[in-house]
Amino acid sequence: DLSLLRFISAELTRGYFLEHNEAKYTERRERVYTCMRIPKELEKLMFFGIFLCLDAFLYVFTLLPLRVFLAMFRFITLPCYGLRDRRLLQPAQVCDILKGVILVICYFMMHYVDYSMMYHLIRGQSVIKLYIIYNMLEVADRLFSSFGQDILDALYWTATEPKERKRAHIGVIPHFFMAVLYVFLHAILIMVQATTLNVAFNSHNKSLLTIMMSNNFVEIKGSVFKKFEKNNLFQMSNSDIKERFTNYVLLLIVCLRNMEQFSWNPDHLWVLFPDVCMVVASEIAVDIVKHAFITKFNDITADVYSEYRASLAFDLVSSRQKNAYTDYSDSVSRRMGFIPLPLAVLLIRVVTSSIKVQGVLAYICVVLFYCGLISLKVLNSIVLLGKSCQYVKEAKMEEKLFNPILTATPGKPAGKQQSMFKSNQGISTDENGSASVTNQPVHQKENTPSLLVTSNSDQFLTTPDGEEKDISQDSSELKHRSSKKDLLEIDRFTICGNRID
């Protein structure tokens, strides 16, 4: 019989057994543990990535001038040695000279940009207008970074392309002017970002700074509730590393400008310190929350960040090989979207305008500071290389160092390029018979298969219509590829920021 008392009694005494759905509750508990591990694993990746960006950034100030000097010295003294080689300069030396010339030209062009006038112009705008401007600058910075490295790569390849090939470009000079224009415009854009942040720091009610910090939490809404795969999350992680490092440099520029205005009074530095901590803390909090919920909603474990770190370490180790395909700084630029040239131009412009060098003692201090930067760069590179070798070994990716990943060139079947590569590559060993990490393969054994990594989009774009059978055969092999191999080619699919097709 149904009655109110019986219903209340059943509600008060009914029981249930969680062990009947053990798998479900175990999975929920593991999700909680994953969210708790995300901050630690994410900060490990961020810490490693920031030092990678720092290494590429310090390279512009320390080793690049020395490499440009050595390249120019070789070019001047070339008649003394005779033309033993068809190349006047090696490709790396040509790229170094181009980087140095672009850096010097953009530095002198930045002298025509008045920082003080820009500061007062931005300060006269309303808070809402500045908030909109800052958001537009962030979008423009991502677009510039996405297209800028393509412009620089086009210039480097056009300048070093073998001359016997058929001319299929507009020439080195137009590419050079495009690169100079890009670096100059990107440096101005970063200067406007730094100026807007400086205005936010110096505002009396701190309303603009608060709005800018709250804008970071809007980023959570735009990314957490989207579908993410491992490759997409990898690109987002790289973008976050680049963004955090860029913010650190912008904060350095803001502190330099403010300290100059207050005659380098150390007491004013403690006035800026709380605002700097608030900016850094908001960035860290947003990244942790964003990645924690992305991994939760997409069932991605925290161990994936160790794979990302191993992929970044693989780039560093492979760039140290004797016949590496690209410079390390360019590899970081393609992977993370961090291009150090515009940021270096702006930092040099701010430092030279904020610090006056007068007298012999001041020049001695500049030389000692430069030597200190070189020491920091070398020490950072050594530590990063050691840690990278450790990460690559832990991820069991050592064999890929001696079987480089190639991509099919347009107009050529993949099979032909693979056969050509098989005859030219191999594993080099030292006197003890162990494989050398710093040497590129020279001769390969006939029974060792060479790896040719392609994707469905590569096959669609580069394979002729008559090779559809080869595509079906290759697609069955691609199924056995691990996700770690996909990460090594992720930068080729980057459109902008964190979108991957």
Side-chain angles (χ1 to χ4, degrees):
D1 296 333
L2 298 177
S3 65
L4 180 60
L5 292 177
R6 180 171 294 182
F7 176 78
I8 294 175
S9 176
E11 286 294 315
L12 293 176
T13 60
R14 68 183 177 89
Y16 48 87
F17 300 93
L18 298 181
E19 61 266 20
H20 291 170
N21 201 354
E22 180 180 354
K24 176 183 176 181
Y25 289 104
T26 303
E27 180 185 359
R28 296 296 173 88
R29 185 174 61 187
E30 290 300 325
R31 287 185 180 181
V32 175
Y33 294 162
T34 299
C35 288
M36 295 173 61
R37 289 181 56 197
I38 288 298
K40 178 182 177 181
E41 297 297 328
L42 177 63
E43 290 306 313
K44 282 183 180 180
L45 174 65
M46 289 287 178
F47 192 75
F48 182 71
I50 286 173
F51 275 95
L52 291 180
C53 293
L54 178 64
D55 192 62
F57 191 58
L58 289 177
Y59 170 81
V60 178
F61 302 100
T62 56
L63 299 186
L64 181 61
L66 299 179
R67 290 176 63 94
V68 172
F69 174 77
L70 293 177
M72 295 299 297
F73 181 78
R74 170 185 167 84
F75 183 76
I76 295 173
T77 59
L78 193 62
C80 300
Y81 299 99
L83 296 176
R84 301 178 182 177
D85 194 357
R86 290 183 298 175
R87 295 181 182 270
L88 296 177
L89 294 173
Q90 296 299 321
Q93 294 175 326
V94 175
C95 295
D96 292 335
I97 292 177
L98 290 174
K99 291 178 184 178
V101 173
I102 291 173
L103 195 67
V104 172
I105 292 176
C106 292
Y107 168 72
F108 284 106
M109 291 173 65
M110 288 294 292
H111 279 283
Y112 294 96
V113 181
D114 192 350
Y115 185 90
S116 300
M117 184 186 69
M118 183 183 298
Y119 177 83
H120 292 290
L121 180 64
I122 294 176
R123 189 170 187 176
Q125 307 300 321
S126 63
V127 174
I128 299 301
K129 211 181 265 190
L130 289 179
Y131 171 70
I132 296 174
I133 291 174
Y134 193 78
N135 286 337
M136 293 172 60
L137 291 175
E138 285 189 345
V139 175
D141 179 63
R142 290 195 176 189
L143 296 177
F144 267 91
S145 300
S146 178
F147 192 58
Q149 188 59 39
D150 294 338
I151 294 176
L152 295 176
D153 286 341
L155 171 63
Y156 301 152
W157 174 239
T158 304
T160 59
E161 186 179 9
K163 304 303 179 184
E164 61 268 12
R165 297 191 178 185
K166 184 179 179 180
R167 182 184 177 90
H169 54 82
I170 59 177
V172 177
I173 295 179
H175 279 285
F176 178 77
F177 283 115
M178 289 171 57
V180 170
L181 181 63
Y182 154 71
V183 174
F184 177 66
L185 293 179
H186 199 176
I188 292 179
L189 187 144
I190 300 175
M191 175 181 281
V192 177
Q193 278 185 302
T195 306
T196 308
L197 189 60
N198 196 6
V199 170
F201 270 57
N202 294 327
S203 60
H204 296 289
N205 54 5
K206 304 294 182 182
S207 59
L208 178 59
L209 187 61
T210 305
I211 292 175
M212 291 168 60
M213 294 305 100
S214 64
N215 184 45
N216 291 331
F217 291 89
V218 178
E219 184 181 354
I220 298 177
K221 177 183 177 182
S223 56
V224 164
F225 303 106
K226 293 182 180 179
K227 177 66 177 177
F228 275 87
E229 301 291 341
K230 284 187 177 181
N231 292 345
N232 303 83
L233 184 59
F234 181 45
Q235 190 56 41
M236 172 175 280
S237 302
N238 291 333
S239 180
D240 291 338
I241 293 172
K242 175 254 181 184
E243 182 181 358
R244 190 179 293 190
F245 181 81
T246 304
N247 287 336
Y248 291 161
V249 179
L250 291 180
L251 291 174
L252 175 62
I253 293 174
V254 170
C255 291
L256 287 175
R257 296 299 300 178
N258 278 274
M259 293 298 291
E260 180 198 4
Q261 297 299 322
F262 286 87
S263 302
W264 298 97
N265 185 6
D267 295 334
H268 184 68
L269 186 61
W270 296 107
V271 177
L272 297 173
F273 186 73
D275 295 334
V276 172
C277 292
M278 186 172 67
V279 174
V280 174
S282 66
E283 286 288 338
I284 295 176
V286 166
D287 289 339
I288 289 176
V289 173
K290 180 174 64 176
H291 284 264
F293 281 95
I294 286 177
T295 53
K296 177 184 182 300
F297 292 149
N298 295 277
D299 294 328
I300 301 176
T301 62
D303 296 332
V304 73
Y305 291 101
S306 61
E307 298 179 14
Y308 298 161
R309 191 174 54 190
S311 299
L312 296 178
F314 183 88
D315 289 341
L316 176 59
V317 176
S318 60
S319 66
R320 299 292 180 178
Q321 293 181 346
K322 183 178 180 180
N323 296 326
Y325 301 144
T326 183
D327 185 64
Y328 165 67
S329 60
D330 295 330
S331 177
V332 172
S333 300
R334 297 187 191 96
R335 181 75 74 182
M336 299 183 182
F338 171 69
I339 305 177
L341 285 181
L343 201 59
V345 169
L346 177 60
L347 186 59
I348 295 174
R349 170 72 174 84
V350 172
V351 170
T352 53
S353 62
S354 302
I355 302 175
K356 304 299 180 183
V357 180
Q358 296 177 352
V360 179
L361 183 60
Y363 284 102
I364 293 177
C365 292
V366 170
V367 173
L368 292 178
F369 180 74
Y370 179 71
C371 294
L373 282 181
I374 293 180
S375 302
L376 178 62
K377 167 68 174 67
V378 173
L379 179 62
N380 187 39
S381 299
I382 293 174
V383 174
L384 281 178
L385 183 59
K387 298 297 291 185
S388 298
C389 292
Q390 177 185 346
Y391 296 149
V392 170
K393 185 176 181 180
E394 290 176 355
K396 299 180 180 179
M397 300 169 64
E398 294 172 297
E399 68 277 1
K400 298 177 186 177
L401 292 172
F402 311 108
N403 293 297
I405 298 176
L406 297 181
T407 55
T409 56
K412 289 186 179 181
K416 293 182 179 180
Q417 188 174 6
Q418 183 177 6
S419 62
M420 293 173 61
F421 173 74
K422 186 183 297 184
S423 61
N424 293 329
Q425 296 290 337
I427 299 178
S428 61
T429 56
D430 55 13
E431 296 178 357
N432 298 327
S434 60
S436 175
V437 174
T438 58
N439 292 328
Q440 187 75 4
V442 179
H443 299 290
Q444 186 175 6
K445 298 179 181 179
E446 295 181 357
N447 57 353
T448 303
S450 61
L451 296 180
L452 181 65
V453 178
T454 58
S455 64
N456 295 332
S457 60
D458 293 332
Q459 293 167 345
F460 177 76
L461 291 173
T462 62
T463 308
D465 295 336
E467 307 234 351
E468 294 179 356
K469 296 181 180 180
D470 295 336
I471 293 177
S472 60
Q473 295 176 357
D474 292 338
S475 61
S476 61
E477 298 178 0
L478 292 176
K479 295 180 181 179
H480 301 286
R481 291 172 53 196
S482 63
S483 59
K484 297 177 183 178
K485 293 182 180 179
D486 296 335
L487 294 178
L488 299 178
E489 290 294 302
I490 193 63
D491 59 296
R492 293 191 296 113
F493 300 95
T494 304
I495 295 181
C496 177
N498 56 3
R499 180 179 174 185
I500 303 173
D501 283 349

